[in-house]
Amino acid sequence: MNILVAAPTEREYANAARAAERQSRHTYTVIKCGIGKAAAAANIARVLTADAGKFDLVAVMGYAAGSLGFRQGEIVMPEKAMYHDCDIPEGFIPEITDPRMLQGKDPITVFTGDSFVNASIAGGIKRRFGVDKAIFDMEITAIAIAAEECGNVPVMAVKMISDVPESGDNEFSYDKFADTYSDFGVFFEKLEELQA
């Protein structure tokens, strides 16, 4: 299987690239997709268009915030992605507001938006969408839409919980955690378990 691994930050990219060198089961191409919806979607679209038909899967690897009920270091592979920062009436523009199904096994939604999620934002998202647990990132839904537009390439997210804002974590907690957990071998192990 040919897998495009998308890592948003420089740190995530370096960690994923090192870990990919130790893998032999699949063929991995690791790219830094950039932070935020626009950069991530543009870079995924660029690669999938340039290498049309080459990739069987896009795997987004890196850190994510989690709601209460998650713990730092936990690996989550959500089954669904959607934007949390679209203020559009339900059903009006479904191509933006409808959830995208991912290849993950965990019955969790990853909510994507162009902001760091604090406790107030996390609580608001959970109330708005009627969920008890969720994870939060800045790229996955945009990547899923880009992959859909560029040949319906399936997308999987393999995320490690770096911070739980509702328990008091903040950007400094994230930074400290990301400095400590740099071996992305576990991300590839989880990915390969699901692709067995």
Side-chain angles (χ1 to χ4, degrees):
M1 181 175 263
N2 238 337
I3 300 175
L4 176 62
V5 175
T9 69
E10 185 62 45
R11 178 166 36 194
E12 290 164 325
Y13 167 73
N15 294 342
R18 275 194 304 274
E21 291 174 359
R22 304 192 306 263
Q23 311 304 314
S24 59
R25 182 171 189 167
H26 300 295
T27 300
Y28 294 102
T29 301
V30 182
I31 66 161
K32 185 177 89 169
C33 64
I35 301 167
K37 296 183 294 189
N43 283 308
I44 292 298
R46 176 181 53 79
V47 173
L48 292 180
T49 301
D51 293 318
K54 175 179 176 180
F55 296 105
D56 304 301
L57 178 73
V58 175
V60 186
M61 289 187 182
Y63 308 109
S67 66
L68 287 174
F70 287 108
R71 66 188 186 287
Q72 283 186 315
E74 187 173 350
I75 298 284
V76 183
M77 301 172 76
E79 66 179 10
K80 191 166 44 171
M82 62 190 303
Y83 290 131
H84 70 75
D85 59 354
C86 286
D87 190 8
I88 297 171
E90 186 175 345
F92 190 67
I93 309 176
E95 54 268 35
I96 296 176
T97 57
D98 278 2
R100 293 322 199 265
M101 297 312 293
L102 304 174
Q103 301 296 303
K105 62 178 178 51
D106 297 322
I108 291 294
T109 299
V110 55
F111 289 97
T112 300
D114 278 327
S115 60
F116 254 53
V117 172
N118 60 28
S120 173
I121 293 170
I125 292 167
K126 290 180 355 184
R127 284 188 300 278
R128 178 179 170 199
F129 292 98
V131 298
D132 295 323
K133 287 177 71 176
I135 66 172
F136 313 98
D137 91 317
M138 298 172 73
E139 297 85 22
I140 293 172
T141 305
I143 288 172
I145 292 171
E148 184 181 291
E149 294 291 328
C150 296
N152 285 313
V153 180
V155 175
M156 177 180 290
V158 187
K159 289 291 195 169
M160 181 179 281
I161 302 301
S162 54
D163 54 299
V164 180
E166 292 167 293
S167 69
D169 290 337
N170 56 30
E171 64 272 20
F172 302 108
S173 310
Y174 161 83
D175 214 35
K176 183 178 178 183
F177 180 88
D179 280 341
T180 305
Y181 289 85
S182 60
D183 184 357
F184 274 31
V186 67
F187 288 76
F188 286 91
E189 287 169 18
K190 292 290 185 183
L191 173 62
E192 294 193 349
E193 279 173 20
L194 214 56
Q195 296 300 311

